[in-house]
Amino acid sequence: MRAWLAPARPGDPAVVTDRRERKAITIELVVVFAVTLGMSGLQSLLSLLDALLRPEPLADQHAAINVPRADLGLLDMLQQLTNVARLIAWGALGAYLLWRGGIALWRVGLDRTRPGSDFVRGVGLAALIGIPGLGLYLTAHALGLSLTVQPSTLDAAWWRAPVLTLAAFGNSFAEEVLVVAYLLTRLRQLGWSENRALWFAAVLRGSYHLYQGIGGFVGNVVMGLVYGRIWQRSNRLWPLIVGHALIDVVAFVGYAALRGNVTWLP
């Protein structure tokens, strides 16, 4: 149990001691997150502040995730796919910078040696996080701590389900590569303890979900703590990507199918 609650920092990768190299890593972290999820966190904070300053209660306000981006169906589909490509590019940037810095991708769990076990563990992680997460959202919404989250407001076009599935993968790939593999590896190189780095990454994950309300922030911090610790202990990233993608597929595609057909969904 102690190994899970207070793990020792592994010897690989080694702590960078050269001042110029440490400065370069710090600048790299700032730049990467300034153009990716860190900026999303700042925008989400401003969005939440705007929601709190409105006269309507949070539960009466809406936060949509996958929204139409063009009036013409074909252009809307292409816009959605462009957004998916951007998310994958964000994750690829983190992976490339690790590789370019001398860290082979198999060392952070981005290899194809265990596809079966990675998928099975991903399904387990999806259940572990997804089911309690739905309960937390419904509770937070009932308490007025969360906006009404609409995972998809796309029209019922033939391409909606496959595009939402790709969006789920894009989200999971970008977040897990950047906030887990890339960030936690770089913080190890800077000599951060495992717990300190874990909390930093988890709060960052929660920050770019603040637009959903306090419930979205808390739920994603918890997800970040669980996912981050599992990676720190197992050094496998694909189960996290699979689990996250499955959660989002159920949320995006399931909401699109159930919207207006069930009474328990806000």
Side-chain angles (χ1 to χ4, degrees):
M1 180 62 69
R2 178 179 175 81
W4 280 89
L5 296 179
R9 184 198 171 282
D12 183 33
V15 176
V16 175
T17 57
D18 180 77
R19 174 184 283 183
R20 294 182 62 184
E21 186 62 25
R22 290 177 62 85
K23 182 178 180 180
I25 291 175
T26 302
I27 292 173
E28 179 188 285
L29 284 169
V30 172
V31 172
V32 167
F33 286 100
V35 298
T36 59
L37 295 171
M39 188 60 67
S40 298
L42 177 58
Q43 291 173 326
S44 288
L45 174 60
L46 296 175
S47 178
L48 176 61
L49 291 175
D50 178 61
L52 291 171
L53 292 174
R54 294 181 181 179
E56 310 97 309
L58 285 181
D60 292 340
Q61 301 180 46
H62 295 78
I65 300 176
N66 296 286
V67 299
R69 298 174 182 271
D71 293 331
L72 185 65
L74 178 59
L75 288 179
D76 190 13
M77 181 186 71
L78 294 175
Q79 287 271 31
Q80 303 297 332
L81 292 175
T82 299
N83 186 59
V84 172
R86 177 169 59 246
L87 290 168
I88 294 175
W90 283 2
L93 173 63
Y96 169 77
L97 289 172
L98 288 178
W99 173 80
R100 189 68 178 83
I103 298 174
L105 295 185
W106 64 264
R107 290 166 63 186
V108 297
L110 268 177
D111 58 65
R112 295 175 291 177
T113 58
R114 310 176 200 173
S117 62
D118 284 345
F119 181 79
V120 171
R121 294 174 66 187
V123 172
L125 285 174
L128 176 66
I129 296 297
I131 296 173
L134 177 59
L136 176 61
Y137 163 67
L138 293 175
T139 301
H141 186 271
L143 295 174
L145 299 175
S146 175
L147 286 77
T148 299
V149 179
Q150 298 176 305
S152 172
T153 59
L154 298 177
D155 296 331
W158 65 267
W159 49 263
R160 182 175 67 181
V163 166
L164 288 175
T165 300
L166 289 173
F169 174 75
N171 284 332
S172 64
F173 186 75
E175 291 188 41
E176 303 312 326
V177 173
L178 284 174
V179 181
V180 176
Y182 171 73
L183 178 59
L184 292 180
T185 299
R186 284 296 190 238
L187 293 180
R188 278 175 174 173
Q189 290 180 292
L190 292 177
W192 286 38
S193 70
E194 295 291 273
N195 281 345
R196 182 186 176 195
L198 178 67
W199 274 101
F200 183 84
V203 171
L204 174 62
R205 184 189 295 261
S207 71
Y208 51 82
H209 291 90
L210 276 169
Y211 70 94
Q212 300 177 7
I214 304 301
F217 172 78
V218 172
N220 279 278
V221 168
V222 172
M223 179 179 178
L225 291 173
V226 174
Y227 271 35
R229 180 63 91 223
I230 288 174
W231 180 83
Q232 287 176 329
R233 298 295 300 158
S234 69
N235 212 44
R236 298 298 303 166
L237 193 67
W238 281 117
L240 277 60
I241 295 173
V242 170
H244 189 156
L246 290 175
I247 291 172
D248 282 1
V249 167
V250 172
F252 296 170
V253 180
Y255 179 86
L258 295 176
R259 184 177 58 175
N261 297 316
V262 296
T263 58
W264 54 268
L265 200 61

